[in-house]
Structures are given as C-alpha cells and as structure tokens.
Amino acid sequence: MNNTTKTRVGRGLLYGILSFGSVLMLAPFIWMILTALKAPNEVATFTWLPKDFLWGNFVEAMSIAPFLNYFRNSLFIAVGETAVTLVLCTMAGYALAKLPIRGSKYLLNYFIVLLMIPFQIILVPLFLIVKGIPLFGGNDIFGMGGTGWLNSWWGLIIPLAAGPMYTFLSRQFYVSLPSELADAARMDGVGEFGIFTRIMTPLIKPALITIVVFQIEAAWNAFLWPLMITNTDEIRPLQLGLAIFSQNPMNVQWPYLMAGTALAALPMIVLFVFAQKRFVEGMANSGLKG
C-alpha cells in the first residue's frame, strides 16, 4: 500500500468517524423536532416519525403561555449581561496584561482559581448578597427589611455578568499584542483609556466575539438563578417559561414542550452559525501566551 492509498484510507476513516459523531450529536435535535410535530397520544409509544406532521403545535405552544414576553425578557437579560461583561472584563484583562500593576500575577492566579469553583458553591452566598443590597427593594442603608435585588432586572443581570473566564480570555489576547503599539500612542499623547478603546481593543475582535457568544448562550439558557430570585412572569426568562408544560409530572405536554424548546434553541443556533469563524479563532488563540 503506497502513501497515496494510505492517505485516502486514513481520510476516509476520519470522515466516517466524524460523520458518525455528527449523527449522534444531531439525533437529539431531530428527535426534538419530530416530537414537537406529534399528537399528544403518539408520545407514549416509541415512533420516530409522527403519523401527521402537526405544525400547528408551534403556534399553539406560543399561545398557551406568554412566550413573546419570555423571549423579550431573555433577550434583555442576555444583552444586558453581555454589555456589562464586555466592558468590565476587557478593562480588567487589559489592566492585567499591559499596566504595571503590583501583584498582577497574583491577581491572575486568583482569576484562574475562580475558574475552578462551581457556580453551585456560591449560589447561596450570592442570593444573600443580592437580597441584602442596601436601599433597594425596601432595604435600609444596612440592607435590612426588604428584598434587595430579588425579582428585579438588577438581580438577573448584574450578579452573573463579568465572569472570571472572560477576564482571563481578554487578558490572553491583550498579552499577545505588541506593547510597542501602546508605547507609540503614549508618545503621541494618547491617554491610557484611549489606548485601550481606540488601539488595543479593536485588535482583539475574535476574543470579543467569543465572549459575546459564550455570555449570550449562558444568559439565554440560565435556569437555576432566575428560578431562585424571580416570582412573577413579568421578568421571568424563556427557560422558566418552558416549565409551564411540565408543571404536572403525570401529564407533561411533550409536543408543546419540544416545540417551545426548539424555538428557544433557534436563536442560539443562528448566533453560532454567523459567529463561528471568529468564535473558533478566538478559542484557538486564547492560550497562546501566558
């Protein structure tokens, strides 16, 4: 067997493995769509294809609950968290990478340690902090007597913005940029904030897009934190709205639940399709320098 034949066999084997993996990954999505098109009595038995494709399930699912309101809430939360994250994490990453801060290495190690802490560990302390925000929700100056940021946009957006992973990612990209650019700008009289906004940050677009994709996806799919701090449909996001179809464990409305889930997943799929080139580039280059 010559080298050309070996290459073809190896490439064919690789394509076969990748195709098999793709089918395994697509199977849950295909099953979700097919279940959304079934009648309620068909879900109890195992069948791949529905007898009749009930496209009206998507319309009925949207009418059973205020899904437009849930979509709006999720969009507002995702945009708000992402905006705060972009501002704070890029500024922190630039400071760690380019400013002569005493103890910057220790600060970087602190962010790395934070990456290893599961969110569930800080869930209760974070809830107590949000509840005790002074002068909000009827609280006095000492954070007592009211609800603070519970059941509010502040509580949904601020606590989950500016994660340590995004600061670390920004720092890695800023480190890869030549410091001569900033030095030349300083000699021309450009201030540090101008260097950050006009010179350095436009050069890390892959990192910015990666942060946007990660944060929007995390905010869009958030369930546990909104469940803990909200008690009205006015500000509840989409993932909590889907729970309306499974409130009765003995009578879960699977077609409507799958229809709502498919509609909820669609914006994230579109986002990744349009941003995947920069996203993959950002993930590939995030660890090049320490």
Side-chain angles (χ1 to χ4, degrees):
M1 184 180 295
N2 55 38
N3 292 334
T4 303
T5 304
K6 290 182 179 179
T7 302
R8 290 177 178 176
V9 172
R11 185 174 298 173
L13 181 62
L14 177 61
Y15 287 163
I17 295 174
L18 293 177
S19 299
F20 179 72
S22 300
V23 171
L24 288 180
M25 295 183 66
L26 286 174
F29 293 96
I30 297 174
W31 180 259
M32 176 178 65
I33 299 297
L34 293 177
T35 303
L37 298 174
K38 293 179 179 179
N41 58 352
E42 293 183 69
V43 180
T45 59
F46 178 81
T47 56
W48 272 100
L49 296 177
K51 294 180 181 178
D52 297 309
F53 289 84
L54 304 179
W55 296 99
N57 286 347
F58 289 89
V59 178
E60 294 178 17
M62 294 289 289
S63 62
I64 290 176
F67 270 92
L68 292 179
N69 186 50
Y70 294 145
F71 269 102
R72 183 206 65 186
N73 294 343
S74 291
L75 181 62
F76 186 78
I77 294 169
V79 172
E81 284 189 18
T82 304
V84 175
T85 297
L86 282 176
V87 172
L88 296 182
C89 291
T90 53
M91 293 176 69
Y94 175 78
L96 289 173
K98 296 299 182 183
L99 297 184
I101 300 176
R102 180 177 297 179
S104 60
K105 291 185 178 180
Y106 297 103
L107 287 174
L108 178 61
N109 292 334
Y110 170 73
F111 280 104
I112 294 175
V113 170
L114 289 179
L115 291 174
M116 297 182 290
I117 299 177
F119 175 69
Q120 290 78 6
I121 291 180
I122 65 172
L123 196 59
V124 173
L126 188 61
F127 177 87
L128 296 176
I129 291 173
V130 169
K131 184 179 183 297
I133 296 293
L135 305 179
F136 281 87
N139 282 346
D140 57 23
I141 195 173
F142 300 105
M144 305 293 291
T147 59
W149 280 353
L150 297 182
N151 202 45
S152 70
W153 293 115
W154 297 101
L156 285 169
I157 293 174
I158 301 301
L160 300 186
M165 181 181 71
Y166 308 129
T167 300
F168 177 77
L169 181 64
S170 300
R171 187 260 179 192
Q172 294 299 96
F173 270 80
Y174 282 119
V175 165
S176 66
L177 300 179
S179 299
E180 290 78 7
L181 292 174
D183 294 336
R186 293 188 185 99
M187 293 181 64
D188 291 337
V190 181
E192 204 63 50
F193 189 74
I195 296 173
F196 164 71
T197 56
R198 291 156 48 192
I199 298 175
M200 292 298 196
T201 301
L203 298 176
I204 64 164
K205 289 181 180 179
L208 300 181
I209 294 177
T210 302
I211 292 173
V212 167
V213 172
F214 267 126
Q215 185 64 6
I216 289 181
E217 186 272 338
W220 188 267
N221 294 323
F223 178 82
L224 184 58
W225 179 248
L227 178 65
M228 288 188 62
I229 71 166
T230 61
N231 54 27
T232 63
D233 283 339
E234 294 180 2
I235 63 173
R236 277 181 172 166
L238 182 59
Q239 302 305 324
L240 288 184
L242 293 174
I244 193 172
F245 299 122
S246 57
Q247 289 180 345
N248 183 4
M250 302 302 296
N251 186 28
V252 179
Q253 298 172 293
W254 288 109
Y256 296 149
L257 179 59
M258 293 297 102
T261 303
L263 293 174
L266 184 60
M268 295 300 99
I269 296 174
V270 173
L271 174 66
F272 183 79
V273 167
F274 282 99
Q276 69 175 22
K277 181 179 178 180
R278 293 287 188 177
F279 173 78
V280 173
E281 182 181 349
M283 291 303 299
N285 296 333
S286 61
L288 290 181
K289 288 192 176 182

